[in-house]
């Protein structure tokens, strides 16, 4: 077991009584990182962040420092923090927002200062009203404390921060859809080019979009230096990573672990972490990085939790959510449920995703209910291919954004890894797992 | 809060309702070199792949892309495999510009697979009800499925279900099952017309086009979404189940519903008009039509059309034959003409007539009736010298000018497609300065909108010219610096309110004419009024914008006759003279002064006192009912001819159907009537007439039927030649942009067929496409701009600031014959109301919604009262010519302004229903 | 069918002032409208359109893109049962079926007494406590049919009034925070948010809103003593003892 002794960077205060208040935060060195940052030049901060090599924690794993470096220079410049967390089985930002909102605000301010932002928007998933309340209350405290607003800490630097609630649409986590939503529109992802909000973003102005966890690292990095951060982890994957473990484990939860030092096996089986499969069951497969990532099987348990290591086996670390599934899991049903999610959340803008999602869902539903045909497997793969040509990872796409191409991986993984199980459904005219068709009333849909 | 409220900032505008637009390519002369299906090609930098392919004759299938809207890349039908610096990827051709070294493959396996896949996805939830679909046979989805699609569907599940067609308005139906969510309609509403009364609702595959509950999609442009819908989701109520594409016949024509002159494809089935589609004429309408222009053809089909001549026998109008009717008309008019050397005859109207007919009637008036009492305008326009004499601008020039000043009515109501062009210009950063007594449809797009009280237009113009309004001064100064080619400032000039005299506006125009770099675009709305003026249907004006005295010698020589000695009367003068018994013979040339003249009392008295009245019309209007002889005329769809729009663009009208009964074209009536009067007008065909016009009019020199029917001239030719920039040399008609237009290339009636042998040769030399005005040797000079400030201020000094003044503008939906006789339009007019500034309402202690009596020296009207914050304080607005409640009974045409009183009536809170 | 109340219109104007472009305030204002009436009434949407310069169709079109907004009246409590993968693996569909049977409605339906609207929800980001549900967006994890029955009973009895606000909106969130000086913007872009009474903002009305006592369970994953990671401890009703982040004061 190679669970490390790395410090906890973003989750340190969680569990402390009233961890979300300014009082608690200040008692634990709160806003010292910002104070220190304000004594530095934006370039110096950027340098530290480059040294730290913080990979974006929102899913794409793009280096934060590199992203900031792409910022086009005309003003105004905006900073938008992505707290729309809705990726299935991902619940880490939720916890950071509710449990340590000041850390998020401080991180956002450091980022804003470093990139020369004119205004900051904290976009929080609308279904987190408690998080929004706490974040807003923290922001109010921060204004009163002098950490936000005019002439912050008498440094001469001023900025406004706005907490913006979403309203329930997974696609608004996609950064350009998020910006459209923030502009008060339907959350349609923008077509590329331009490729980066850093060039054309909110209201057409250069905009940095960073994930909640990404910027929550910044206070620590400011205080301890980019080197200290980079001393953790390995390769591209530096520092620690917050992993959301859900599904058939004994101890689901969020775990902050040093990058590249811990394997999936550790995460799932270490008694201090996942503590093994529930009810002593057997691991059948696991989703390694969010619902859109291609699945892995037990043979991949020793892959280290590092972005590039996970990419090497043809999938992704994504948002850091890991979902082990035990031997009682029907893989058709699992794929169906994930596809159903993406289908329901498709913005509807582009044809392959809008129509393909529903089609895939219907075929999978039919197979699960015992009405499949053998040709359905080829059909499934071909429909997948028409959404994401080649059905490879990272995906090619006929769509505007990668929501559409998130549908093929669970289907393709399932067919690749569990073809016999699919065929059994078709051959026997029913699902081999109880209940023998889709749960409950959905079976008849 | 209120003191911290910031000025309203509109939503970030460079994005459309859905999706975003690609970075605007810089306009440069740079070209890029790329390969398309293996062949090397070049195109200007910034050209979209889809456009570059079109130009190369390679068709890439598409649905959401429309050349007149921002590309959104949504439907994914146009995906092509592109190999560039990022390796081989699939890209939407409609969204990505060609770049140097790009290799585009429109027929590779990858491209085909992607396109087939998209098409299959589109059909997953499509009902495939083509046999009962209005679009069947001309449907791009159907066509592309046949051309590119898979043979049979692999989709076996149940499809998405919606209620079958639901009305979006009384004109447009929506079948959501057929919708492919391309967003063209919602993008049009938001991006082009600016009235986002429809939007996408819901999400994903439940996305539907929707109005707000109980707020129908009733703007002025809703028919366009039917035209651009690439499937049968949006259909027009008037066309529903009327025809199948293969039964349709088509001709290109020009819309005559207003003076913009949009180019149209007119379609008929079994000799009945069934549909109008906008043609994308680049200098004019970009493919758009307003709903009036699109649907008022129903009036042409109306059973109430005049079919045979009528003559008065006592109190009755009885049917008769042409010879008898003409003989009677000639007798009455001839007698009157002889008595007063032409002073006692008059012709009102002609703005509805095509150019040739206007010319024929003008010649008849001057030669056969010996009168200059002829006026195509009905007191609701401007003096001919003002319209014709000021330096003129084209629509394109107005749209490109850094500053547009509007001193005219509500352009959205009066010249709807010009509104679209100006709105587009404003969206692209041009500045509009509006001078108006009330808010208009354009107000939200103006940089500065200045309210003035009726009569104060000249004073306002003076202060602008003097630089007294800082915001305006800054814009004007900047405009002069910015403008490279074309006028820096274009004034759109018309009648801001019919209750403010034309002289007042004309004077303001003369003042504005002093601005540096200024040119004028007419804002007069009535059909071919500009053609009529150009053909001399105005007192003191001869064909070709020539003054009576300046042209006397030339025309008497060419017409071989004496011309009237003195300048005649305008409509107001004619009616006034008639009231005093001085008009013995009056011709109403498609004119209904009882409804259209701003002062209906004056019109009524004038008509009553005219001893003999001949009406030439298509319907038995209120005025025609008073006539002694009524001659049935053919409409624009039933005959050929030409038309002249606001900018002086001459374009042709196509004949699509035959007229009812024995209705004749107006020119033929003129020729026959002249013959009965003993005058030979000298022509027996349209070709004869036009040849004569081309020969004698200094304005029309070089504008031959050959040119008008050539490839270069088919979007019209601005006169005089050379005044309106280059003529078009190519029209790339995208069948997807306007499905339903039967390829105009093949359907363009050949000039030879159309205008007879010898016509239609294309100029061999491309430079001949834009011929210079030929040396018009010896022709008389055209009108000069009248001197600024020449006339004395007409605004009366007797009115003081405390008086309430009447303001009267127009609505697109009025009581005119075209709307009234088109069943699908006749219910669209707004409810009549008296509108006051909220402060005035408060001052007068009137409750919005209550019934008030609006009285002037001329009459009174009981109307519900409404608050309108956009009105100049101290004014009362009553819309002109709404069914049953026209301001025409209130306006005093004798004075520069009309004072008005508003008083409460006993009725309170009763909504005025009609 | 109501327009925004004067107080809510004032809040809407404050929200508008927070953003560089008015339309950005649309979604926050719609939350206020929904907080007022429980759903987005037609008059309310028109009113919002007037405030923002949008057509009513655009307001409705935008609102209906988002799952949280209802354009038809819904029950007093919107009960959203997550059935996404993590919850499904832990029996979410069985829970949903039980919920349907107990309430007598299918997902999307509302009970006859107007108490409950049931939704078949996507991932609610409480996967460590699967299967879970929200009631007016307040979290309840580790549910099973018995606990669900208990939950609805508590709701009916009003025992959860303190923590489950009506309509589940952001009505308790006071968002008019910004720079102290009215009328001037520090940086050109957004312009200044309106002034606030900072002391009141910090100490005042929010506190009530953010302190939620709960009898069931909340979003909760807390730091784990071992120092290397986080533990998912408790957060179960039967595991009190300072593990529920929301219980801590
Ligand atoms: C469909 C889709 C959903 C996404 N959802 C989220 C999300 O909920 N939260 C998030 O931070 N990033 C999400 N992302 C990734 C964002 O687009 C973006 O990459 C990220 O916010 C950037 O922040 P980072 O660089 O700090 O990771 C999503 C991307 C896609 C395509
Ligand atoms: S892939 Fe799906 S979610 Fe993304 S833009 Fe297209 S339709 Fe919308
Ligand atoms: S995506 Fe190009 S035409 Fe629709």
């Amino acid at each position: 077991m190679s669970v490390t002794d790395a410090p906890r960077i973003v989750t340190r205060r969680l569990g402390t009584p009233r961890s979300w208040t300014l009082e608690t935060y200040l008692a634990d060195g709160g806003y010292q990182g910002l104070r220190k940052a304000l004594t530095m030049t934006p370039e110096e901060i950027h340098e530290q962040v480059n040294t730290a090599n913080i990979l974006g924690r929102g899913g794409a794993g793009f280096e934060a420092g590199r992203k900031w470096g792409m910022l086009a220079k005309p003003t105004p410049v905006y900073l938008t923090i992505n707290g729309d967390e809705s990726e299935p089985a991902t619940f880490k930002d939720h916890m950071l927002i509710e449990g340590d909102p000041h850390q998020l605000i401080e991180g956002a301010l450091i980022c804003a200062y470093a990139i020369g932002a004119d205004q900051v928007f904290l976009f929080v998933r609308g279904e987190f009203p408690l998080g929004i309340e706490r974040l807003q209350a923290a922001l109010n405290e921060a204004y009163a404390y002098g950490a936000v607003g005019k002439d912050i800490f008498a440094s001469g630097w001023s900025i406004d921060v706005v907490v913006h609630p979403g309203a329930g649409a997974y696609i608004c986590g996609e950064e350009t859809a998020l910006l459209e939503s923030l502009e008060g529109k339907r959350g349609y992802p923008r077509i590329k080019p331009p490729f980066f909000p850093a060039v054309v973003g909110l209201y057409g102005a250069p905009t940095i979009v960073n994930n909640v966890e990404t910027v929550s690292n910044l206070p620590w990095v400011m205080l301890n230096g980019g080197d200290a951060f980079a001393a953790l982890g390995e390769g591209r994957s530096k520092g620690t990573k917050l992993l959301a473990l859900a599904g058939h484990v004994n101890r689901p939860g969020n775990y902050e672990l040093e990058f590249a030092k811990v394997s999936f096996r550790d995460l799932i089986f270490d008694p201090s972490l996942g503590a093994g499969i529930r009810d002593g069951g057997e691991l059948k497969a696991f989703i390694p990085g969010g619902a859109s990532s291609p699945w892995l099987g037990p043979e991949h348990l020793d892959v280290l939790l590092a972005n590039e290591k996970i990419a090497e086996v043809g999938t992704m670390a994504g948002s850091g959510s890991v979902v082990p599934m035990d031997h009682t899991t029907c893989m058709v049903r699992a794929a169906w449920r994930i596809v159903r999610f993406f289908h329901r959340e498709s913005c509807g803008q582009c044809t392959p995703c809008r129509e393909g999602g529903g089609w895939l869902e219907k075929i999978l539903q039919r197979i699960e209910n015992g009405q499949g045909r053998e040709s359905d497997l080829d059909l499934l793969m071909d429909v997948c291919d028409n959404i994401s040509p080649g059905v490879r990872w990272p995906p090619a796409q006929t769509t505007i954004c990668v929501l559409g191409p998130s549908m093929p991986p669970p289907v393709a993984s399932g067919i690749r890894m569990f073809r016999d199980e699919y065929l059994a459904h078709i051959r026997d005219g029913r699902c081999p797992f109880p209940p023998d068709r889709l749960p409950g009333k959905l079976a008849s849909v | 809060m209120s003191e911290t409220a910031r000025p309203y900032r509109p939503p970030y505008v460079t994005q459309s309702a859905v999706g975003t637009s690609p970075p605007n390519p810089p306009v440069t002369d740079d070209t890029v070199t790329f390969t398309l299906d293996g062949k090397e090609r070049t195109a200007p930098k910034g050209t979209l792949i889809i456009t570059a392919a079109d130009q190369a004759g390679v068709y890439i299938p598409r649905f959401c892309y429309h050349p007149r809207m921002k590309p959104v890349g949504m439907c994914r039908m146009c995906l092509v495999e592109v190999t560039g610096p990022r390796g081989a990827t699939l890209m939407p051709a409609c969204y990505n510009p060609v770049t140097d070294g790009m290799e585009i493959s429109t027929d590779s396996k990858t491209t085909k697979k992607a396109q087939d896949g998209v098409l299959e996805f589109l059909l997953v939830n499509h009902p495939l009800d083509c046999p009962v679909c209005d679009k069947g046979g001309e449907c791009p989805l159907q066509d592309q499925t046949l051309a590119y699609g898979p043979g049979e569907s692999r989709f076996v599940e149940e499809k998405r279900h919606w209620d079958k067609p639901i009305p979006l308005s009384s004109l447009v139906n929506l079948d959501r099952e057929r919708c492919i969510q391309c967003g063209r309609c919602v993008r049009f509403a938001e991006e082009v017309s600016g009235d986002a009364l429809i939007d996408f609702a819901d999400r994903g595959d439940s996305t539907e086009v929707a109005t707000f509950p109980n707020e129908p999609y009733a703007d002025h442009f809703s028919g366009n979404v039917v035209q651009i819908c690439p499937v049968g989701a949006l259909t027009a109520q008037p066309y529903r189940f009327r025809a199948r594409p293969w039964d349709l016949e088509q001709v290109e024509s020009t819309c005559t519903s207003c003076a913009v002159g949009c180019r149209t494809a007119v379609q008929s089935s079994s000799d009945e008009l069934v549909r109008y589609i906008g043609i994308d004429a680049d200098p004019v309408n970009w493919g758009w039509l307003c709903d009036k222009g699109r649907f008022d053809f129903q009036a042409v089909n109306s059973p109430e059309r005049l079919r045979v001549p009528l003559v008065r026998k006592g109190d009755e109008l009885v049917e008769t034959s042409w010879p008898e009717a003409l003989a009677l008309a000639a007798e009455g008019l001839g007698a009157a003409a002889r008595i007063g050397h032409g002073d006692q005859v008059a012709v009102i109207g002609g703005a509805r007539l095509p150019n040739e007919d206007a010319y024929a009637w003008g010649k008849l008036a001057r030669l056969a009736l010996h009168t200059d009492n002829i006026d195509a305008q009905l007191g609701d326009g401007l003096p001919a010298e003002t319209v014709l004499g000021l330096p003129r601008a084209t629509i394109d020039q107005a749209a490109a000018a850094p500053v547009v000043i509007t001193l005219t009515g509500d352009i959205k109501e009066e010249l709807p497609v010009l509104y679209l062009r100006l709105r587009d210009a404003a969206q692209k950063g041009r500045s509009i300065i509006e001078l108006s007594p009330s808010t208009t449809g354009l107000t939200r797009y103006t940089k500065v909108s200045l309210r003035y009280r009726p009569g104060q237009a000249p004073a306002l113009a003076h202060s602008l010219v003097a630089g007294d309004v800082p915001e305006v001064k800054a814009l004007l100064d900047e405009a002069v610096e910015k403008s490279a080619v074309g006028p820096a400032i274009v004034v759109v000039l018309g009648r801001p309110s019919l209750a403010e005299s034309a002289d007042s506006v004309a004077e303001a125009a003369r003042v504005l004419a002093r601005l540096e770099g200024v040119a004028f675009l007419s804002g007069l709305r009535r059909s071919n009024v500009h053609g009529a003026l150009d053909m001399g249907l105005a007192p003191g004006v001869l064909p070709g914008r020539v003054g009576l005295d300046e042209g006397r010698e030339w025309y008497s020589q060419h017409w071989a006759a004496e011309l009237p000695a003195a300048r005649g009367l305008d409509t107001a003068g004619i009616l006034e003279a008639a009231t005093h018994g001085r008009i013995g013979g009056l011709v109403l040339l498609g004119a209904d002064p009882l409804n259209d003249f701003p002062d209906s009392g004056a019109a009524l008295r004038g008509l009553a006192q005219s001893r003999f009245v001949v009406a030439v019309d298509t319907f038995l209007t209120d005025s025609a009912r008073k006539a002694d002889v009524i001659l049935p005329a053919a409409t624009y769809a039933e005959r050929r001819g030409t038309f002249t729009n606001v900018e002086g663009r001459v374009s042709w009208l196509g004949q699509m159907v035959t007229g009812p009964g024995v209705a004749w074209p107006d020119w033929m009536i003129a020729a026959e009537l002249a013959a009965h009067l003993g005058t030979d007008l000298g022509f027996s065909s349209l070709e004869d007439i036009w040849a004569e016009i081309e020969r004698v009019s200094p304005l029309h020199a070089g504008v031959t039927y050959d040119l008008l029917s050539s490839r270069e001239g088919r979007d019209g030719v601005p006169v005089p030649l050379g005044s309106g920039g280059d003529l078009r040399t190519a029209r790339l008609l995208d069948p997807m942009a306007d499905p339903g237009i039967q390829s105009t290339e093949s359907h363009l009636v050949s000039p030879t067929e159309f205008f007879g042998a010898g016509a239609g040769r294309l100029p061999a030399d491309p430079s001949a496409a834009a011929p210079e005005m030929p040396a018009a040797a010896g022709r008389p000079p055209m009108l000069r701009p009248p001197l600024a400030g020449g006339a004395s201020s007409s605004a009366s000094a007797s009115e003081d600031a405390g008086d309430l003044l009447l303001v009267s503008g127009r609505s697109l939906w009025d009581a005119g014959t075209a709307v009234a006789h088109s069943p699908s339009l006749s219910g669209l007019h707004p409810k009549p109301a008296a509108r006051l500034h909220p402060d005035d309402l408060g001052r007068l202690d009137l409750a919005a919604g209550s019934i008030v009596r609006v009285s002037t020296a001329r009459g009174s009207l009981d109307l519900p009262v409404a608050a309108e914050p956009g009105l100049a304080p101290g004014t009362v607005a009553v819309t002109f010519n709404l069914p049953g409640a026209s301001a025409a009974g209130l306006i005093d045409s004798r004075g520069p302004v009309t004072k008005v009183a508003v008083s409460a009536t006993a009725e309170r809170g009763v909504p005025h229903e009609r | 069918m109501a327009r925004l109340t004067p107080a809510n219109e004032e809040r809407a104007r404050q929200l508008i002032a927070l953003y560089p472009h008015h339309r950005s305030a649309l979604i926050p204002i719609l939350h206020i409208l929904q907080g007022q009436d429980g759903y987005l009434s037609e008059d309310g949407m028109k009113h919002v359109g007037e405030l923002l310069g949008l057509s009513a169709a655009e307001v409705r079109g935008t609102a209906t893109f988002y799952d949280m907004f209802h354009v038809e009246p819904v029950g007093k409590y919107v009960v959203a049962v997550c059935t996404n993968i993590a919850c499904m693996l832990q029996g979410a569909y069985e829970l949903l079926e039980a919920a349907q049977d107990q309430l007598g409605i299918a997902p999307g339906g509302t009970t006859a007494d107007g108490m409950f609207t049931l939704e078949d929800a996507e991932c609610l980001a409480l996967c460590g406590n699967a299967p879970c549900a929200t009631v007016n967006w307040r979290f309840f994890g580790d549910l099973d049919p018995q606990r669900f029955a208990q939950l609805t009973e508590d709701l009916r009895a009003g025992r959860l009034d303190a923590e489950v606000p009506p309509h589940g909106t952001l009505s308790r969130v006071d968002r008019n925070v910004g720079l102290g000086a009215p009328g001037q913007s520090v940086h050109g872009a957004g312009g200044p948010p309106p002034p606030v009474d900072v002391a009141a903002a910090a100490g005042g009305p929010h506190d009530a809103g953010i302190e939620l006592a709960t009898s069931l369970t909340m979003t909760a994953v807390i730091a784990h003593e071992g120092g290397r990671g986080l533990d998912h401890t408790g957060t179960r009703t039967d595991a009190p003892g300072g593990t529920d982040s929301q219980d801590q004061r």
Side-chain angles (χ1 to χ4, degrees), chain B residues 467-490:
Chain B
D468 293 345
V469 186
E471 296 87 342
V472 173
K473 183 172 166 29
L475 290 173
L476 296 179
D477 291 349
E478 203 188 322
V480 176
E481 280 161 33
K482 263 201 267 184
S483 89
V485 285
I489 301 163
V490 170

Side-chain angles (χ1 to χ4, degrees), chain A residues 26 30-40 106 110 145-147 152-155 222-223:
Chain A
L26 290 178
Y31 290 107
Q32 293 305 324
L34 174 62
R35 287 183 191 275
K36 183 164 174 203
L38 291 175
T39 66
M40 298 160 67
E106 185 180 1
I110 293 166
Y145 177 63
I152 293 167
F153 297 146
S155 66
M222 280 301 100
L223 282 177

Side-chain angles (χ1 to χ4, degrees), chain A residues 191, chain B residues 50 60-66 71-79 92-95 182:
Chain A
I191 185 171
Chain B
I50 207 164
I60 299 173
R62 64 197 75 175
F63 287 109
C64 66
Y65 175 69
H66 187 284
V72 290
M74 279 169 42
C75 76
R76 318 304 284 176
M77 190 64 220
C78 67
L79 287 173
C94 69
Y95 192 82
C182 69

